[in-house]
């Protein structure tokens, strides 16, 4: 095994945890079932730091190496098949290799994969977003959600002539310096341009916003915290934020990179809030790399190539293959399809909640439509602070235990549905949770 190869259980589990023994058993079972993935993880560790190219997808002892995905099922290098409840972190809303998405993407690719001039695909995808999202007059595409939030923040700073942007505790807007957790490699002055606000806390936000009102360019928020634990913002909280940003002259940016799956008009449509700018990603590329941002015409005008003040390029921006797959995906996501997916998600959350409660373990679940998150804490969760108090060993145990039972969720418990899932696969997850918790 390589020097930085798969992490041994002993390196990770404190010996005083009440879950240590169960975790050791579950981890051994996982290792025994995934020998080929382990061998590839060892090779990977020689050429990729820690064996991965995405910090978020790594978990100990090693993630499975995937070789195929179809519909709701993914298969790893050892031939294990699992129901994919993560769907590349919520981006594959129709599941893997959806026939129509694939054929539309392949047809686009067959006519050329990238050009140094616009294609009709990017125009059509922009039209679909403008038709669906009331607050969006115009759109620009990027290659990732990270670039989308970075561009939206630059736009807000240019439009207002102010330097600071406020974000929320537990929020995730990608990996660029302004949105990454302050730390190694991020210069101090970058942090000074950011303000962190408490989520779902009107008095706390009001005070913090008032302190920086004159220098605040924007407030960026996920209407449902995604990576932070699938925690929905309260209606009154978003109403307050809209008013507070109007009052202070800051722009309100909704990061809908995850939540766009919840309604054809995004979560903003369910809340009845009109932000100034919106960022997109994940599902709008139908499983291919993409990002995008859009909003008020007077703000977006700053990006006009001859009359605007902001230059924003990107060799693969508006990539025709991603755009074709995104159009096919959004066409399939009609209001009844989204309603049914959300309904199925809510029912699943209710059933898992009951199973966890009956187990007596300190564990719970949060959800919003087709998104949900298991939490190793019995606390009521309305912000990311409670998520931070979850038991890390129980979190790991739930994750690996479900992996061993054929269900793929994020290591931190985040998960989502795809339209490819069957009734049996939904029931199966409830059964797997019941079986897992009763084994503890
Ligand atoms: C809400 C949100 N914003 C931005 C991003 C960054 O998107 P990407 O990973 O495409 O850069 C993510 C990714 O998970 C996200 O969840």
């Amino acid at each position: 095994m390589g020097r930085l190869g798969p992490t041994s259980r002993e390196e990770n589990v404190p010996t005083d945890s009440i879950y240590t023994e169960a975790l050791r058993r579950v981890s051994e079972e996982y290792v025994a079932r995934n020998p080929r993935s382990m061998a590839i993880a060892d090779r990977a560790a020689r050429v990729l730091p820690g064996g991965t190219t995405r910090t978020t997808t790594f978990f100990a002892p090693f993630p499975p190496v995937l070789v195929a995905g179809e519909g709701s099922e993914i298969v790893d290098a050892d031939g294990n098949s699992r129901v994919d409840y993560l769907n590349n972190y919520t981006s594959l809303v129709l599941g893997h290799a959806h026939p129509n998405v694939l054929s539309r993407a392949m047809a686009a690719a067959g006519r050329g994969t990238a050009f140094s001039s616009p294609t009709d695909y990017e125009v059509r995808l922009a039209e679909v977003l403008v038709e669906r999202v009331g607050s969006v007059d115009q759109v620009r595409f990027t290659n990732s959600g990270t670039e989308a939030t970075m561009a939206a923040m630059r736009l807000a700073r240019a439009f207002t002539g102010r330097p600071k942007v406020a974000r929320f505790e537990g929020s995730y807007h990608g990996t660029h310096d302004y949105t990454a957790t302050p730390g190694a490699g991020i210069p101090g002055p970058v942090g000074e341009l950011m303000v962190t606000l408490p989520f779902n806390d009107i008095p706390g936000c009001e005070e913090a916003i008032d302190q920086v009102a004159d220098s605040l360019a924007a407030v960026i928020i996920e209407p449902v915290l995604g990576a932070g634990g699938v925690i929905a913002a309260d209606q009154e909280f978003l109403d307050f934020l809209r008013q507070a940003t109007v009052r202070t002259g800051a722009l309100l940016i909704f990061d809908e990179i995850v939540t766009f799956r919840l309604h054809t008009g995004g979560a903003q449509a369910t809340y009845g809030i009109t932000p100034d700018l919106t960022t997109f990603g994940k599902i709008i590329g139908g499983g291919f790399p993409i990002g995008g941002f859009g909003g008020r015409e007077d703000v977006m005008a700053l990006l006009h190539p001859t009359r605007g003040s902001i230059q924003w390029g990107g060799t693969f921006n508006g990539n025709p293959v991603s755009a074709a797959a995104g159009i096919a995906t959004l066409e399939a996501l009609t209001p009844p399809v989204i309603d049914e997916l959300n309904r199925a998600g809510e029912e699943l959350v209710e059933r898992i909640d009951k199973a966890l409660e009956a187990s007596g373990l300190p564990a719970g679940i949060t959800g919003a439509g087709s998104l949900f998150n298991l939490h190793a804490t019995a606390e009521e969760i309305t912000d990311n602070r409670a998520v931070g108090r979850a038991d890390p060993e129980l979190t790991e145990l739930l994750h690996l235990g479900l992996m061993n039972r054929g269900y793929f969720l994020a290591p931190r418990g985040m998960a989502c549905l795809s339209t490819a899932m069957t009734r049996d696969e939904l029931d199966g997850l409830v059964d797997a949770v019941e079986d897992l918790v009763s084994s503890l």
Side-chain angles (χ1 to χ4, degrees), residues 14 17 62 134 174 177 189 202 231 240 251 262 281 301 306 342 412-413 424:
S17 162
F62 52 87
D177 284 2
I202 294 177
I231 305 164
F240 153 78
L251 299 190
L262 298 177
T306 55
N342 287 337
R412 59 176 182 263
D424 280 354

Side-chain angles (χ1 to χ4, degrees), residues 152-201:
M153 286 168 59
R154 186 190 293 181
L155 194 51
R157 287 179 164 129
F159 186 78
T160 58
R162 299 170 174 183
K164 293 193 175 171
V165 174
R167 61 179 294 190
F168 288 87
E169 283 174 13
S171 63
Y172 182 69
H173 303 289
T175 51
H176 61 87
D177 284 2
Y178 287 116
T179 56
T181 309
I186 300 176
V190 169
E192 287 160 24
L193 295 173
M194 297 300 296
V195 179
T196 304
L197 302 175
F199 192 73
N200 270 340
D201 173 357

Side-chain angles (χ1 to χ4, degrees), residues 54 56 88-90 143-149 171-175 179 220 222 224-227 255-259 279-282 290-291 412 414:
R54 291 164 77 181
T56 28
N88 194 23
Y89 280 82
T90 77
N143 301 293
S144 66
T146 292
E147 290 165 77
T149 61
S171 63
Y172 182 69
H173 303 289
T175 51
T179 56
I220 183 166
E222 297 163 84
V224 177
L225 283 183
D255 182 345
E256 297 248 27
I257 286 167
V258 167
T259 54
T279 55
F280 301 98
K282 311 232 189 221
I290 202 161
R412 59 176 182 263
M414 187 193 186

Side-chain angles (χ1 to χ4, degrees), residues 62-366:
F62 52 87
V65 175
L66 299 178
V67 295
E70 190 180 349
S72 53
E73 194 188 8
I74 45 178
V75 181
D76 69 22
D78 290 285
N80 298 306
S81 151
R82 298 184 180 88
V83 181
D84 191 359
Y85 268 93
L86 194 47
N87 295 291
N88 194 23
Y89 280 82
T90 77
S91 52
L92 292 154
V93 66
L94 305 181
H96 294 267
H98 186 277
N100 189 43
V101 175
L102 264 195
S103 72
R104 301 267 290 270
M106 283 160 75
R111 293 186 208 106
T113 57
F115 301 96
S116 31
S117 211
T119 66
D120 195 43
Y121 294 108
E122 75 183 75
V123 180
R124 182 64 202 134
L125 183 58
E127 284 170 348
V128 173
L129 295 176
V130 169
E131 280 158 20
R132 290 187 172 207
V133 187
S135 66
V136 171
D137 299 325
Q138 294 193 318
V139 178
R140 267 280 176 111
F141 292 111
T142 59
N143 301 293
S144 66
T146 292
E147 290 165 77
T149 61
M150 188 164 65
M153 286 168 59
R154 186 190 293 181
L155 194 51
R157 287 179 164 129
F159 186 78
T160 58
R162 299 170 174 183
K164 293 193 175 171
V165 174
R167 61 179 294 190
F168 288 87
E169 283 174 13
S171 63
Y172 182 69
H173 303 289
T175 51
H176 61 87
D177 284 2
Y178 287 116
T179 56
T181 309
I186 300 176
V190 169
E192 287 160 24
L193 295 173
M194 297 300 296
V195 179
T196 304
L197 302 175
F199 192 73
N200 270 340
D201 173 357
I202 294 177
C205 275
E206 192 154 37
E207 195 185 330
I209 288 175
D210 283 349
Q211 275 172 17
V212 291
D214 293 342
S215 56
L216 193 62
V219 175
I220 183 166
I221 185 164
E222 297 163 84
V224 177
L225 283 183
V230 184
I231 305 164
D234 297 333
Q235 178 72 51
E236 313 77 65
F237 183 64
L238 291 182
D239 290 338
F240 153 78
L241 270 189
R242 182 61 285 190
Q243 287 157 14
T245 43
V246 167
R247 178 170 57 78
T248 55
L251 299 190
L252 180 61
I253 306 173
F254 265 31
D255 182 345
E256 297 248 27
I257 286 167
V258 167
T259 54
F260 192 48
R261 60 161 42 227
L262 298 177
H263 189 284
T264 48
Q268 56 193 266
T270 59
Y271 282 103
I273 302 270
T274 306
D276 303 295
L277 291 173
T278 300
T279 55
F280 301 98
K282 311 232 189 221
I283 68 166
I284 71 158
F288 290 81
I290 202 161
F293 60 101
R296 276 167 47 186
E297 197 169 358
D298 58 334
V299 182
M300 294 300 287
L302 296 188
L303 291 156
H304 192 289
T306 55
R307 294 199 296 273
S309 53
I310 298 183
Q311 293 201 350
W312 191 271
T315 302
F316 291 99
N317 284 0
N319 179 262
V321 183
S322 301
I327 297 163
T329 298
L330 296 181
E331 281 173 3
L333 277 188
T334 59
V337 169
I338 294 181
D339 284 351
E340 175 49 29
L341 198 60
N342 287 337
R343 196 206 53 73
E346 281 153 19
E347 186 193 308
L348 189 67
V349 165
E350 217 170 280
R351 294 173 68 195
I352 292 176
D353 192 36
K354 281 202 184 113
L356 292 174
E357 204 181 330
S359 75
L361 285 171
I365 184 167
T366 53

